[in-house]
Amino acid sequence: MEIRHTTNPTDMRQYTTERLRSEFLIESLFVAGEINMVYSHYDRVVSGGAIPTSSPLLLEDKETLKTDYFLERREVGIINIGANGRVMVDGEEYTLAKRDCLYVGLGNKEVTFHSVDPSEPAKFYFVSSLAHKNYPTKKIPIEDATPIKLGSDSQSNKRTIYQYIHNDGIQSCQLMLGMTLLEPNNMWNTMPAHLHDRRMEVYLYFDLDQDARVFHFMGEPSETRHLVVKNEQAVLSPPWSIHSGVGTNNYTFIWAMAGENYTFTDQDPVNMNDLK
């Protein structure tokens, strides 16, 4: 488990590109036959990727978390972005096709990741936050997620937001998680930008061609910076930062939030005149 500490926005103004990437960009989550995780001190969120091949992969890191098992004090949301896979939760099996989501609550002791066909492995992306009570384990396929259609072709941001874990969907303690699909020929995920100082956020960008890139904009509205992001890379977004992006073509991203409140629409819009 890699550990990332929090950053003061005033200090970030002095960062080089290399320092900015080392603090906020997660470059290598998905490695065949491995689980890779990053522990962020922003709301103590853990982001991870698992590609099980010939053997299942157990979700654990006792040394970092100092608990007997991973979900002793946590909850986790899992989305499969690869071929068909299975997640075993204390002996109960859940099959996830691409873009299906599974929520696993506090107190479940053993979570393992499996591929249906090891030659075409599943790719499990997961985000875990602290939890205070148990909510039931629940699977939701993308067709049952709550869709919100936003944007327009004229603004190059026509997209569908699928809400999986939220107040009107799968219940959790504080984790909110969903997926946004941009339509062909649409590249902006949101603009004007917004803030929500009550919550941090993690973005995973995927469904990008090898040579495609997303330019992820972050920072205080008056001190913006950018990260150049490849396929299946993630960005940690601090509560004080905008989080907006544009791609060289359309793409898909998973967003996950945790923090003070549990209100998806709690946002502070940023006026275009304030962006610099």
Side-chain angles (χ1 to χ4, degrees):
M1 181 108 66
E2 181 188 350
I3 296 176
R4 304 275 184 101
H5 292 277
T6 56
T7 299
N8 186 300
T10 303
D11 294 339
M12 197 199 78
R13 298 174 187 178
Q14 313 303 320
Y15 285 3
T16 63
T17 297
E18 182 180 359
R19 177 72 186 276
L20 195 73
R21 291 174 68 87
S22 68
E23 294 286 348
F24 300 106
L25 182 64
I26 305 174
E27 297 189 67
S28 301
L29 276 180
F30 298 99
V31 178
E34 295 182 8
I35 290 182
N36 289 292
M37 292 181 278
V38 174
Y39 182 109
S40 171
H41 279 273
Y42 289 112
D43 289 295
R44 301 192 180 274
V45 162
V46 174
S47 308
I51 304 182
T53 51
S54 57
S55 301
L57 297 173
L58 175 64
L59 180 60
E60 65 174 351
D61 194 318
K62 295 180 181 180
E63 181 59 32
T64 301
L65 299 182
K66 305 297 183 185
T67 54
D68 290 335
Y69 52 96
F70 193 90
L71 295 179
E72 183 176 322
R73 304 283 296 172
R74 292 183 160 272
E75 58 188 357
V76 65
I78 303 163
I79 293 182
N80 182 14
I81 65 169
N84 289 348
R86 297 190 302 270
V87 181
M88 299 289 294
V89 181
D90 285 348
E92 188 78 19
E93 180 179 295
Y94 299 87
T95 300
L96 300 185
K98 186 174 183 179
R99 297 176 179 167
D100 289 352
C101 175
L102 180 69
Y103 169 82
V104 187
L106 173 80
N108 288 280
K109 293 185 176 180
E110 185 172 278
V111 178
T112 56
F113 300 103
H114 308 249
S115 290
V116 172
D117 181 355
S119 66
E120 296 184 20
K123 288 184 179 180
F124 296 104
Y125 174 67
F126 57 90
V127 180
S128 171
S129 60
L130 296 177
H132 60 272
K133 64 175 287 187
N134 172 266
Y135 283 96
T137 299
K138 186 173 181 180
K139 170 190 168 182
I140 181 168
I142 187 170
E143 55 265 24
D144 292 340
T146 304
I148 301 174
K149 294 190 178 294
L150 295 174
S152 65
D153 287 330
S154 63
Q155 294 181 312
S156 300
N157 65 355
K158 192 173 182 179
R159 63 201 188 275
T160 303
I161 299 174
Y162 291 93
Q163 296 175 319
Y164 294 101
I165 303 172
H166 64 113
N167 194 45
D168 296 318
I170 297 177
Q171 298 296 291
S172 68
C173 292
Q174 64 165 319
L175 179 66
M176 285 186 280
L177 184 145
M179 181 186 303
T180 300
L181 280 74
L182 276 75
E183 298 289 337
N185 303 316
N186 288 267
M187 287 79 73
W188 279 99
N189 60 37
T190 184
M191 187 59 77
H194 64 266
L195 301 169
H196 36 73
D197 199 47
R198 279 71 57 192
R199 299 190 305 273
M200 65 84 66
E201 193 160 2
V202 189
Y203 275 62
L204 174 77
Y205 293 99
F206 68 106
D207 283 349
L208 283 161
D209 294 334
Q210 181 178 353
D211 294 330
R213 297 292 185 270
V214 171
F215 289 75
H216 178 95
F217 296 99
M218 62 174 301
E220 295 175 292
S222 61
E223 288 282 347
T224 60
R225 301 291 186 270
H226 74 271
L227 295 166
V228 180
V229 184
K230 297 180 183 179
N231 186 46
E232 297 180 357
Q233 293 183 337
V235 177
L236 297 170
S237 181
W240 44 262
S241 175
I242 67 166
H243 33 286
S244 181
V246 62
T248 54
N249 55 257
N250 67 311
Y251 52 90
T252 305
F253 66 93
I254 296 169
W255 47 267
M257 295 182 280
E260 177 69 23
N261 66 17
Y262 197 60
T263 306
F264 178 81
T265 55
D266 176 20
Q267 300 177 355
D268 301 320
V270 175
N271 190 293
M272 291 293 283
N273 292 326
D274 295 330
L275 286 176
K276 298 179 182 178

